[in-house]
Every structure is written in C-alpha cells, then in structure tokens.
Amino acid sequence: MMDNADYNQLFASKTKQLAISIINELSNLPYQEAFAIIRKQIYRSSTSMAANYRAMCRAKIKRRKIFQNINCDRGNR
C-alpha cells in the first residue's frame, strides 16, 4: 500500500505529465483565430492544476515542520 508521500509524489508527477501532454496535443493543432483564446485558457488551466497541487504539497511540508518545531519547544519547557 502507498503512503502519503509516495501518493503525493505520484500524483504531482501525473498532473505534470497531463499538463505537458495537453500542451503537446494542442500545439499540434493548426492555428485558428477562433480557437486561440480557448487554447490559451486550456493551457492555463492544465498547468495551474499541476502547479497548485505541487504548491499544496510544499505548504503541507512547511506546516508539518513548523508544528514539529513548536511541539519540540513545548517539550523542552
């Protein structure tokens, strides 16, 4: 069974791969003025999904370190 760290690493990798594959697929399509705005929005949403997940993982790690330091400080009193 997978622990949280392995799952987070796997999911972050998968979201990044998905964003890259979406960009590659949309880049293969011929340029059309009507589709350009939609293409840009799809680029933004796919890359932001991957970036937001990685940012959330970094925030969890920072929070965990802060609370460990607080708990250590309380134990020394």
Side-chain angles (χ1 to χ4, degrees):
M1 188 164 188
M2 236 185 242
D3 65 347
N4 280 345
D6 291 337
Y7 176 78
N8 289 340
Q9 189 75 14
L10 177 67
F11 196 75
S13 173
K14 293 285 186 182
T15 55
K16 185 176 182 179
Q17 289 173 357
L18 177 64
I20 291 170
S21 66
I22 288 171
I23 290 169
N24 289 336
E25 289 297 319
L26 290 176
S27 297
N28 292 334
L29 296 175
Y31 181 81
Q32 294 176 0
E33 188 67 34
F35 187 61
I37 296 170
I38 296 169
R39 183 188 323 228
K40 287 179 188 177
Q41 185 59 43
I42 294 171
Y43 284 159
R44 284 189 209 110
S45 62
S46 65
T47 55
S48 71
M49 175 190 61
N52 287 338
Y53 186 78
R54 289 192 307 275
M56 185 264 315
C57 289
R58 284 191 304 271
K60 280 185 176 179
I61 291 169
K62 285 181 183 177
R63 184 184 69 192
R64 212 174 287 137
K65 287 180 182 178
I66 290 170
F67 282 116
Q68 284 175 350
N69 289 340
I70 290 172
N71 289 339
C72 290
D73 291 343
R74 287 183 183 170
N76 293 333
R77 290 182 187 173

